[in-house]
Amino acid sequence: MKTAEALRLLGVFTSAQWGMVTSRQAKDAGIDGVTLHRLAQAGHLDRVRHGVYAATIAVVTEAREEQAAWLMLDPAEPAWKRAPLDPNGGVISHESAARLHGLGELVDDRIVLTTPRRRTSRDRDVCFRIAGLLEADVTTIDGLPVTTALRTILDLLDQHTDGSHVATIIQEAVEASLVRLDVLAERIGPYALRYGVRRPGGGDALLDRLLAEIDSSIARLAQRPAPQRP
């Protein structure tokens, strides 16, 4: 392949979000599978996962695998055209969202996405949860729609994640000013019974029960020193 032609084709990647496109998007731009293979062999492209390629000069973020999985939800649609709550897309959630927020130490050996309808993937490390999300449930990290720290905590409680792991995430989220204790106590009440708190709607009691597993409490977190300004 001539250098000028290679540079022209690579322009499709470098102009895309994260320097990454799906093979379907590449085809729509006039780059067939054989050409993709040649560009990869020549060291111009990385095959991130099946059907997704990135320019080797693109910045690699901690969210690269999630970015690629998210792109494949709607492989024909460029990233910049998609809304956070795209009905054909999804939102990074649960353990994957916790990792991208930098919260906790959950085992993160799969990519979890919440979608508005049933989805499947040929990639075994991608799994889906079906739920209707609101705009307030979603934020953006590295250009990706990700559930907020609050929604992530609620999702983890809903699937009965180990209490000490959730408590660590709560503590770190509060310390990072990603969630407020009063809002959290109000929202987690419906999950009290499944964690052994018998008082109906006992959000405060559940919060203290969880925090006690890591030798903390609502009072201790509420009295934490204000973060130092740089």
Side-chain angles (χ1 to χ4, degrees):
M1 182 182 299
K2 294 182 179 179
T3 301
E5 177 65 3
L7 290 174
R8 183 187 71 80
L9 296 177
L10 286 173
V12 174
F13 288 82
T14 55
S15 62
Q17 189 161 352
W18 313 308
M20 189 186 306
V21 300
T22 66
S23 53
R24 171 64 183 277
Q25 292 163 3
K27 182 179 180 181
D28 291 344
I31 308 174
D32 59 26
V34 173
T35 304
L36 281 176
H37 181 68
R38 288 176 178 171
L39 288 170
Q41 279 193 321
H44 297 303
L45 299 180
D46 287 326
R47 184 179 181 274
V48 182
R49 60 174 49 233
H50 179 79
V52 183
Y53 293 83
T56 52
I57 62 173
V59 176
V60 179
T61 72
E62 289 290 329
R64 170 167 274 204
E65 289 294 331
E66 287 83 1
Q67 290 163 346
W70 179 78
L71 282 176
M72 284 302 294
L73 292 176
D74 192 1
E77 191 76 356
W80 63 271
K81 286 187 176 182
R82 304 184 194 184
L85 293 178
D86 182 352
N88 294 319
V91 177
I92 307 298
S93 63
H94 296 76
E95 294 90 345
S96 297
R99 186 183 76 82
L100 293 184
H101 280 291
L103 301 174
E105 297 179 348
L106 292 173
V107 174
D108 183 37
D109 56 359
R110 58 185 182 173
I111 298 170
V112 187
L113 299 111
T114 292
T115 57
R117 57 183 175 84
R118 186 176 182 275
R119 300 293 299 261
T120 59
S121 172
R122 64 185 299 167
D123 295 322
R124 293 184 178 181
D125 65 337
V126 176
C127 66
F128 299 99
R129 301 284 185 265
I130 302 174
L133 296 174
L134 304 175
E135 288 186 6
D137 294 324
V138 183
T139 187
T140 302
I141 299 176
D142 285 333
L144 272 176
V146 180
T147 52
T148 62
L150 174 59
R151 175 67 196 218
T152 299
I153 292 167
L154 297 178
D155 285 339
L156 294 173
L157 290 171
D158 187 58
Q159 68 179 18
H160 207 173
T161 302
D162 175 78
S164 63
H165 286 302
V166 177
T168 297
I169 289 171
I170 288 172
Q171 177 173 275
E172 293 177 358
V174 171
E175 290 174 344
S177 299
L178 294 176
V179 295
R180 284 172 42 187
L181 280 169
D182 58 339
V183 174
L184 189 58
E186 180 181 346
R187 295 289 301 276
I188 67 174
Y191 307 103
L193 286 176
R194 71 183 63 188
Y195 284 89
V197 177
R198 300 301 175 186
R199 192 174 70 202
D204 287 301
L206 172 58
L207 189 51
D208 255 337
R209 169 72 65 85
L210 293 170
L211 291 172
E213 295 194 31
I214 59 170
D215 296 321
S216 187
S217 66
I218 294 176
R220 190 175 302 173
L221 266 184
Q223 295 172 2
R224 73 193 191 283
Q228 294 183 350
R229 294 183 178 180

